[in-house]
């Protein structure tokens, strides 16, 4: 038993890691996820992704997407370029138009992180009041 200021304290077990090591996001996964979340952090980009994903044949022409937004062409091109740079959309030139389609793997990465039981959605183990008091 440890002694502090003449008082005797009982040792208390402290759990430093509340999740299984395999469930903790490693630095590489965190970097990838952050880039994807950043690319999707704008409502225009969320809407673009949705429009492309549910377009006939799973692809959309820039001309069709432009009809859905009240913004200048350079602004819409910027948002699409961000999604393409993040690997969320693919772009294919056909004549004078660009056609966009969804790349499923990045969305699956985010889904794995956010699914029930996943590293970002799983609930940590509950501490008792005594365990919480002992940690601080």
């Amino acid at each position: 038993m440890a002694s502090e200021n003449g008082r005797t304290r009982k040792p208390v077990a402290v759990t430093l890691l509340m999740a299984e090591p395999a469930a903790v996001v490693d630095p590489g996964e965190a970097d990838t996820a952050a880039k994807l979340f950043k690319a999707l952090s704008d409502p225009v980009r969320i809407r673009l992704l949705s429009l492309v994903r549910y377009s006939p044949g799973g692809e959309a022409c820039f001309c069709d997407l432009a009809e859905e937004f009240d913004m200048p062409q350079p602004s819409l091109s910027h948002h699409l370029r961000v999604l393409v740079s993040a690997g969320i959309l693919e772009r294919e030139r056909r004549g004078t138009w660009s056609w966009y389609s969804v790349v499923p793997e990045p969305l699956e990465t985010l889904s794995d992180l956010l699914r029930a039981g996943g590293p970002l959605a799983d609930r940590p183990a509950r501490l008792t009041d005594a365990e919480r008091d002992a940690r601080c």
Side-chain angles (χ1 to χ4, degrees), residues 64-86:
D64 295 328
L65 295 170
E67 292 177 6
E68 297 291 326
F69 295 90
D70 184 25
M71 68 173 56
Q73 176 271 328
S75 297
L76 186 58
S77 292
H78 164 76
H79 288 293
L80 287 163
R81 189 171 38 257
V82 168
L83 293 169
V84 169
S85 295

Side-chain angles (χ1 to χ4, degrees), residues 8-51:
T8 304
R9 294 184 311 152
K10 277 178 37 179
V12 177
V14 176
T15 303
L16 297 177
L17 186 60
M18 299 306 296
E20 292 294 321
V24 174
V25 178
D26 70 45
E29 290 173 320
D31 186 52
T32 298
K35 288 176 184 172
L36 295 172
F37 283 125
K38 184 175 181 181
L40 292 170
S41 68
D42 187 286
V44 170
R45 293 183 212 137
I46 297 287
R47 191 144 180 261
L48 280 167
L49 175 60
S50 177
L51 287 167

Side-chain angles (χ1 to χ4, degrees), residues 1-10:
M1 300 236 186
S3 177
E4 181 179 295
N5 297 334
R7 290 187 278 173
T8 304
R9 294 184 311 152
K10 277 178 37 179

